[in-house]
Amino acid sequence: MEKSDQQLLEQYKDGDINAMELLVEKYKRPLFAYLFKMTGNNRYSDEIFQETWLRVIKNIGKFEQQNFYGWLVRIAHNLLLDKIKKKKADYSLDADIGDGETPWVETIPAPDAAKNYNLDDEYLAERINNAIIQLPTEQREVFLLRTYNDLSFKEIAEAQKISINTALARMKYALEKLRKILKDEYYEL
Amino acid sequence: MNCNNAQQKILLQSSGELSSAEYDILKEHLGKCKLCREFKQSLEEISLIAHKTMPNKLPSAEIINNIKQQARKKSLRRVLIFRKPFIQWAVAAAIIMIAISNWSLVHNISEENHSDISNMYAILTIMTYPSEIIDNENSTSDLPDMEDLFQEFENNIENEISPTPEILQSLPAKFPQSRNNYGHPQKIYG
């Protein structure tokens, strides 16, 4: 039977190194996918991914919440914000995020960001990836945390330090934009 | 329920955050609102496709190795710190066990063994005393009752052995002044 995150964390605290390795293996794909889609860049994704786990390891004694992955994503989100602030020169300002809130710094995905998919219909996959990348950063992040990482809206709100209503609004706008972008390719949407 | 509310509830339902009572109200709205039904269908389809097209990329092997290495280092450090008192007590317990097992031979112990018993006493004392008390000779904190422990030794050896007066004299100097007045050497061995 697969052990819960809480059990693995307790095992690691008791000295079982394999428990932490299992957690890294368990979450490496969704976490990296989220980072990759947010930065559009392998190197940045690698850096933030590593720093996220190092912080987890360093602060494991302080972790007292129920949802380990929510905590992991919150750390990654904060590091992502730091990275964006530091690398402002590589980004452009997003003037319109559609929900009436203050514009945020938008990432410019690397050219290869949309070329990694795992679907038979490569063309559709590419279109979807491109559509996701076109979303404003805040909306994209909520969309990715919900669809890739299966976080609840409450967890997303906690990770982003926003209200649950804001998280819901961002998801709604993201869906509307994706529908619009994909309309021509996927008519039933 | 208006459409804006309904669409928020649709999102919450997709993440399992909608109560059954709220879901009943939502169902009622969906029954009569085509726009919200389409929104729900879009959410399901786009989420499914997006999930399927999640990048199949992974962090580099070097990054994963770095993380695992750090996890090992940190874990080792934590275990050492966490178990240090345990190791101390385990050693103390082992010494006691050895001492007890040797007591069957105690009747044959001669005067030459006095220093061994005294050393054992010293080790036990040091192992069981909080280091901050040992280090601070002026401490007036309550100390573990070594008198009882030593009394037990005394009973078991049936007064047939005694540490050398020199060693016994040297021991109290390591401890707070108040312990020097216990009178063990005089009482037991005097």
Side-chain angles (χ1 to χ4, degrees), chain B residues 83-129:
Chain B
R83 293 190 177 167
K84 199 175 172 185
F86 169 77
I87 291 167
Q88 289 184 341
W89 281 100
V91 172
I95 292 169
I96 292 169
M97 292 296 287
I98 291 166
I100 291 168
S101 66
N102 284 337
W103 280 349
S104 60
L105 305 172
V106 147
H107 294 292
N108 298 323
I109 291 175
S110 63
E111 289 291 321
E112 288 76 31
N113 297 100
H114 292 172
S115 60
D116 294 333
I117 298 297
S118 295
N119 287 339
M120 185 171 72
Y121 172 66
I123 292 167
L124 281 167
T125 308
I126 290 163
M127 293 298 292
T128 52
Y129 270 53

Side-chain angles (χ1 to χ4, degrees), chain A residues 43-80:
Chain A
R43 187 166 64 84
Y44 291 163
S45 305
D46 264 351
E47 282 174 17
I48 299 171
F49 183 89
Q50 176 170 267
E51 187 56 32
T52 301
W53 281 101
L54 295 186
R55 290 200 183 184
V56 164
I57 292 163
K58 188 179 171 189
N59 297 303
I60 202 90
K62 296 176 193 167
F63 177 71
E64 290 172 351
Q65 300 155 49
Q66 290 299 311
N67 185 347
F68 171 71
Y69 191 59
W71 184 50
L72 189 70
V73 167
R74 191 154 61 247
I75 294 171
H77 166 80
N78 290 337
L79 288 168
L80 196 61

Side-chain angles (χ1 to χ4, degrees), chain A residues 5-130:
Chain A
D5 292 351
Q6 210 62 38
Q7 286 172 315
L8 290 171
L9 286 170
E10 288 306 317
Q11 279 181 238
Y12 178 66
K13 285 178 186 174
D14 287 343
D16 182 356
I17 296 151
N18 290 334
M20 181 55 73
E21 294 188 357
L22 284 173
L23 282 170
V24 174
E25 289 299 321
K26 182 176 178 182
Y27 290 121
K28 70 180 181 186
R29 189 175 177 226
L31 182 65
F32 194 79
Y34 156 68
L35 291 172
F36 184 73
K37 280 284 188 170
M38 289 304 295
T39 63
N41 181 299
N42 251 338
R43 187 166 64 84
Y44 291 163
S45 305
D46 264 351
E47 282 174 17
I48 299 171
F49 183 89
Q50 176 170 267
E51 187 56 32
T52 301
W53 281 101
L54 295 186
R55 290 200 183 184
V56 164
I57 292 163
K58 188 179 171 189
N59 297 303
I60 202 90
K62 296 176 193 167
F63 177 71
E64 290 172 351
Q65 300 155 49
Q66 290 299 311
N67 185 347
F68 171 71
Y69 191 59
W71 184 50
L72 189 70
V73 167
R74 191 154 61 247
I75 294 171
H77 166 80
N78 290 337
L79 288 168
L80 196 61
L81 290 183
D82 289 345
K83 176 67 77 181
I84 288 170
K85 280 175 195 164
K86 282 178 191 166
K87 303 280 179 186
K88 261 185 181 176
D90 296 336
Y91 301 96
S92 66
L93 287 175
D94 177 24
D96 175 21
I97 59 171
D99 57 3
E101 295 185 19
T102 310
W104 207 52
V105 177
E106 168 71 309
T107 64
I108 299 175
D112 67 342
K115 292 182 181 171
N116 299 281
Y117 34 79
N118 188 17
L119 194 72
D120 291 340
D121 188 343
E122 291 188 3
Y123 180 69
L124 177 61
E126 189 169 343
R127 288 290 301 154
I128 288 167
N129 275 306
N130 280 329

